[in-house]
Structure formats: C-alpha cells, structure tokens
Amino acid sequence: VETGRVLTLTSSTYSYADAIDLDDLFCQKTRPYSLFGQYAMSKLANILFTKELDRRYPKLFTAAVHPGLVRTDVVRNMPWYLYYPNICFSWVMWTL
C-alpha cells in the first residue's frame, strides 16, 4: 500500500470496556449481555483495529475518531427509561 487514509469511527464509550472477550463475543458462556458493555467493546475493537492497521501499514494515514454528538436512531431498541431521556436530551441539544 503506497498511500491512503482510513478513518474509523469510535466513541469515548470505549473506556467502559475492560477488554474484548474473544472467547465469549455473543455473551453465551461467562458473562451476561449488556447493551452498553457490548457497545463499549465494539468501540474498543475499532480503536484496536486502527492501531494494528497503523502498525502494519505505516504509510497509511489512520485515525480513530469520535464524531461528537450526532443524531442517530441508535436508541430505538433501548428500554423506555433510557430511550425517552435520550430523546429529551437530544431535543435540548438540538435547540442550542
């Protein structure tokens, strides 16, 4: 690879993941499923991917970026007690 750029989207939520449990990715063996736990683990995986890509291909420009506050439909499957406060917070941020 001569040159190029790879930007990986991540989130500051990655810090809530202690590690990536490669032996139990689907939460079927040793740990229960957690919405935020799985999300944090996926964001940590994005960062680790970017670091390894940078190590293997030093001529590439690689970066893992946090997009900031972005309106998405990511909360659509959250329980109501997380969904509605998120919607309210989103509305407040939109009005600023």
Side-chain angles (χ1 to χ4, degrees):
V1 176
E2 293 298 320
T3 61
R5 287 178 232 142
V6 177
L7 295 177
T8 308
L9 290 180
T10 189
S11 167
S12 60
T13 307
Y14 83 91
S15 62
Y16 293 106
D18 297 329
I20 297 176
D21 187 354
L22 297 175
D23 294 325
D24 195 15
L25 289 176
F26 297 104
C27 303
Q28 296 174 333
K29 296 178 184 174
T30 59
R31 59 192 177 85
Y33 174 81
S34 160
L35 178 67
F36 290 112
Q38 291 301 105
Y39 181 77
M41 198 182 302
S42 74
K43 299 301 129 185
L44 177 58
N46 286 354
I47 292 170
L48 295 174
F49 165 77
T50 303
K51 288 179 66 100
E52 182 62 18
L53 194 62
D54 187 59
R55 185 185 71 78
R56 291 185 186 197
Y57 302 100
K59 291 183 180 180
L60 279 178
F61 172 81
T62 60
V65 297
H66 182 295
L69 293 173
V70 178
R71 282 190 75 151
T72 68
D73 199 21
V74 72
V75 298
R76 72 180 175 276
N77 295 320
M78 286 186 180
W80 68 269
Y81 54 85
L82 295 173
Y83 176 81
Y84 289 110
N86 190 288
I87 295 300
C88 292
F89 178 73
S90 170
W91 182 82
V92 168
M93 293 305 294
W94 182 73
T95 61
L96 296 178

